[in-house]
Amino acid sequence: MEQHGGEEGLGDVLARLTDPATSTRRTEPARRRLATDPVTRALLEAGVLVLQRELGTLVPAEGPEVGSAGQDDDVEGARRPVRFFDLLSASRVCAAATAVGPLRVTTSHLRDRWAIQRDFVEDLLAHVLWRRHWDDLLEQRTRHLAPPSSAGELPAVAEALARAHLVTAGLPVSTRLELVATALASEHPVLRRQREAHYRAGAARWGQVWERCFERVGHRLRAGADLHRTSSALSAVAEGANLRLIAAGEPPELVEESVRVLVTAGMALARRSFEPDPGAGGGRTAAGPPEGRPLWPGPGTGDVSDVLVHLTDPVTGSRRTSAARHRLAHDVITRQLLHGGTGVLGQELGVVATGPSGRVSAAIAAQPRFFGLLSAAAVEAAGRCLPAGTPRPTAAQLRDRWRSQDDYVEDLLAYAAHRVRRVRWEVLGRIRAVALAPFADGGGGWQRLVASLEAAAAAVLADEDLEGHDRLRLLLVALSAARPAVAQRLCEQGAREERATGELVAELLALAGLQLRADVSAAELGRTLVALRDGVVLRALATGQQGDEEASAVPPFARATVEVVAGCLADPVG
């Protein structure tokens, strides 16, 4: 396993600060000294604090300024109103909607349908994150996928389903906004309920597909198997696999690795959940899908009028009936406003798409405005909340180090990614320590490995994300398309974690005296476990639930980890 000593220094992280074209210092030694200066670090920590406030993270309060008169907005525990969605101004949305066409859209059209901006924002988010977009895309991709006719066809079907579930290219705005919504969910109960419903619907569909597949080849659910939790675990792996693609920009080699991740997880969980049905005679059961029936359960359900719950005429109230709201929801202007709002979100997320349909308009391409909140004044104000003993940076000191705000933002995001990387590497160190403990006396075997995996899973979820590193990572991933340097760092971080996890898996298997199946490598299993972990953490942040809660939308991480590993072993275990 790699050692922490290979960590890069800030002189390598802060490219704009040390770049002769952007730095305010003329010599390389001076720029390098500036990168390690305490004031420089304080300016970066203050910028991270501004971002964390936007994510609803509790602000630490130390230092004499905090709690003083007139500082009510900076006291301990204060939560900041989220400004990401304030970027959806009526004028900006209508300009984007007009660019989409075919009609000219004005702010009057928007206000005629949504009384206040908050109502439009909530309906737009609900529409972009509508589960039906996922279901319709999956139905299109799997429409002609037939169920397996024999157990030997299961891997090929699993691969086709895996490719279909890598949805980041098909839903570029929705999948990135999903990460933003997850990062913000702790502050928004409506978002939490929507995310929970989304996860449950996805798991239910996976369960239906699995039952159809295995009934067709003469298998049944094992006694004691929990299909809901198993399906939730596979859905979490899919979310983790999509997360790595968003961060990396979908290069072909990573797409193929992600397909293998889903196939590895799906086949492993299937081996642990299903068994041959003696009553089926080794063939298809009467309950199996008829010939020609698609394997996937079909397109999504629901009508857009059910999603746009705030859509009405605020003056006359004449559109408050179900029929009138249905007509207005399907109106051309309403559709353009939704596409325009989605396009604005796409601008902020670095992808130019006007809706889940993938329609593109170059006319609405623009630089993201979200990072306007990182003004020199805002950073200086946040700096007053840094821990005691930390320099109190000023706006003048920020301008003295970076020629422009964009230079500062670029280095700040690189620093935030560096910070997240350091924390996650420390977590990996703790995981390694607890995972090796059960083998300390030289013993081996499956039960020792189970204890090791359970301890490792507990270490992952041991610390609640009070400091916001997981949420900060989600924000960085969501915005990475607009910041190639950050995307590269996130990609390197992910590859490093996957490599270290694969090495740890190989070491644990050797200590336990167990071997993997010939079609699964330790590296593939390591990537699969990282995807499972990321998906479980994402779900926990989005819903506020834990995997051990009754009827939770979050799969039990320890149990899912054990089942995935067990399903990948060469010899079946209990």
Side-chain angles (χ1 to χ4, degrees), residues 75-122:
V75 297
E76 181 175 4
R79 293 182 185 269
R80 300 290 173 263
V82 176
R83 285 176 282 184
F84 184 86
F85 299 119
D86 289 345
L87 298 164
L88 291 160
S89 66
S91 59
R92 190 179 180 191
V93 168
C94 291
T98 299
V100 172
L103 303 178
R104 179 175 179 271
V105 181
T106 69
T107 56
S108 297
H109 289 125
L110 192 150
R111 296 190 181 104
D112 182 49
R113 288 160 172 76
W114 288 277
I116 56 178
Q117 192 238 16
R118 182 185 63 192
D119 288 344
F120 170 71
V121 169
E122 289 184 4

Side-chain angles (χ1 to χ4, degrees), residues 95-96 98-100 347 352 360-366:
T98 299
V100 172
Q347 293 171 17
V352 184
V360 173
S361 172
I364 63 173

Side-chain angles (χ1 to χ4, degrees), residues 147-148 154 157 161 208-219 289 295:
L154 285 171
V157 172
L161 289 170
Q208 293 177 44
V209 169
W210 267 4
E211 286 188 313
R212 291 180 182 181
C213 278
F214 285 92
E215 284 177 352
R216 278 297 294 266
V217 299
H219 283 59
L295 180 60

Side-chain angles (χ1 to χ4, degrees), residues 28 36 114 148 265 281 378 382 394 439 474 486 495:
E28 179 66 16
T36 59
W114 288 277
T394 66
F439 300 103
L474 291 179
V486 174

Side-chain angles (χ1 to χ4, degrees), residues 341-380:
T342 305
V344 172
L345 291 174
Q347 293 171 17
E348 296 301 323
L349 298 171
V351 289
V352 184
T354 62
S357 63
R359 294 176 59 192
V360 173
S361 172
I364 63 173
Q367 285 295 318
R369 302 180 191 177
F370 172 65
F371 293 112
L373 63 91
L374 289 163
S375 66
V379 172
E380 178 177 335

Side-chain angles (χ1 to χ4, degrees), residues 214-402:
F214 285 92
E215 284 177 352
R216 278 297 294 266
V217 299
H219 283 59
R220 66 183 181 187
L221 195 65
R222 291 182 185 273
D226 187 331
L227 189 57
H228 165 72
R229 291 199 167 186
T230 302
S231 299
S232 294
L234 185 54
S235 295
V237 174
E239 285 140 22
N242 279 286
L243 182 66
R244 76 195 293 266
L245 289 182
I246 293 175
E250 298 192 74
E253 62 273 15
L254 282 189
V255 171
E256 293 307 311
E257 285 182 1
S258 297
V259 170
R260 283 295 306 158
V261 161
L262 277 170
V263 171
T264 299
M267 294 303 295
L269 291 169
R271 293 183 197 103
R272 299 290 291 175
S273 300
F274 292 91
E275 63 184 2
D277 183 358
R284 303 174 185 175
T285 66
E291 292 293 341
R293 180 180 176 184
L295 180 60
W296 192 251
T301 59
D303 187 82
V304 67
S305 60
D306 299 322
V307 176
L308 307 179
V309 297
H310 298 297
L311 185 65
T312 185
D313 182 342
V315 179
T316 66
S318 61
R319 297 168 181 159
R320 295 186 183 277
T321 66
S322 177
R325 288 183 63 256
H326 184 274
R327 286 194 299 272
L328 190 61
H330 291 270
D331 179 73
V332 174
I333 293 290
T334 301
R335 185 166 59 250
Q336 278 186 234
L337 284 166
L338 293 172
H339 284 170
T342 305
V344 172
L345 291 174
Q347 293 171 17
E348 296 301 323
L349 298 171
V351 289
V352 184
T354 62
S357 63
R359 294 176 59 192
V360 173
S361 172
I364 63 173
Q367 285 295 318
R369 302 180 191 177
F370 172 65
F371 293 112
L373 63 91
L374 289 163
S375 66
V379 172
E380 178 177 335
R384 294 195 291 270
C385 294
L386 293 174
T390 303
R392 295 296 184 255
T394 66
Q397 289 170 326
L398 188 152
R399 297 188 188 101
D400 179 54
R401 285 160 171 76
W402 290 276

Side-chain angles (χ1 to χ4, degrees), residues 13 16-17 24 37 57 119 140 169 188 205 208 227 257 474 495 573:
V13 174
R16 298 296 179 94
L17 185 71
T24 59
D37 183 73
T57 305
D119 288 344
Q140 293 169 15
H188 297 272
R205 289 201 159 215
Q208 293 177 44
L227 189 57
E257 285 182 1
L474 291 179
V573 291

